[in-house]
Amino acid sequence: MVDRDRDDAGRARNSRPRDRLGRPLPPGSAGVARIPDDLDLPPQQTLTFAQQLLDDGLAFNAHEVLEAAWKNGPFAERMLWQALAQLAVGVTHIQRGNPTGARTLLTRAVTRLRTFQPDEDGVMPYGIDRTGLIAHAETLLAALDAETPIPAAELTPRLRG
């Protein structure tokens, strides 16, 4: 049986360091700072932190921040947070040179963003720019389909309008 890192509750946790794109490095290597497994921020702080990470080219870390909100947030918002996390991991796949993975995750993100509807006044929670994020993901998908290079500057979606 393989000996795995576990947290205090016995859940498997990988403590190996990771590179900027979230790929595991050999034990003992210097990696980027990890997002705590128990991260639980209020929605506005989550969006600010995730945006900062995206702006710094750390889409994998942004995905982990958004995933924490998806798993810890209210049930009614989970699809929205899941869409944002999938968008960030779709960007991660582009950064890693994995167009197939990028297409899959970006398509899922667009589907979930389209499904999550604004309130009766047309307002999205927390100022999230649903329309802009859908357009951004579709632009990335078009570039992937055309097999055109995507500059790093285009890998920083704006979470809020």
Side-chain angles (χ1 to χ4, degrees), residues 37-88:
D37 290 327
D38 60 351
L39 184 70
D40 190 9
L41 299 173
Q44 292 291 5
Q45 287 181 350
T46 294
L47 290 167
T48 298
F49 189 23
Q51 188 65 63
Q52 200 171 33
L53 292 165
L54 287 167
D55 293 347
D56 290 342
L58 297 168
F60 180 80
N61 286 38
H63 146 263
E64 289 186 322
V65 169
L66 295 163
E67 186 176 57
W70 155 26
K71 292 181 177 179
N72 295 323
F75 182 79
E77 295 178 0
R78 288 202 175 155
M79 184 185 308
L80 176 62
W81 292 106
Q82 185 179 28
L84 298 177
Q86 289 174 329
L87 178 65

Side-chain angles (χ1 to χ4, degrees), residues 104-117:
T104 299
L105 273 296
L106 291 171
T107 300
R108 287 180 188 166
V110 167
T111 299
R112 282 183 173 81
L113 284 167
R114 283 193 175 125
T115 301
F116 191 92
Q117 295 298 309

Side-chain angles (χ1 to χ4, degrees), residues 12-26:
R13 298 284 184 218
N14 188 338
S15 62
R16 284 175 58 185
R18 293 184 176 264
D19 70 8
R20 289 184 58 79
L21 304 180
R23 296 175 294 212
L25 295 168

Side-chain angles (χ1 to χ4, degrees), residues 136-154:
H136 189 93
E138 288 176 337
T139 298
L140 294 175
L141 285 164
L144 289 166
D145 289 342
E147 298 182 7
T148 58
I150 302 171
E154 292 182 30

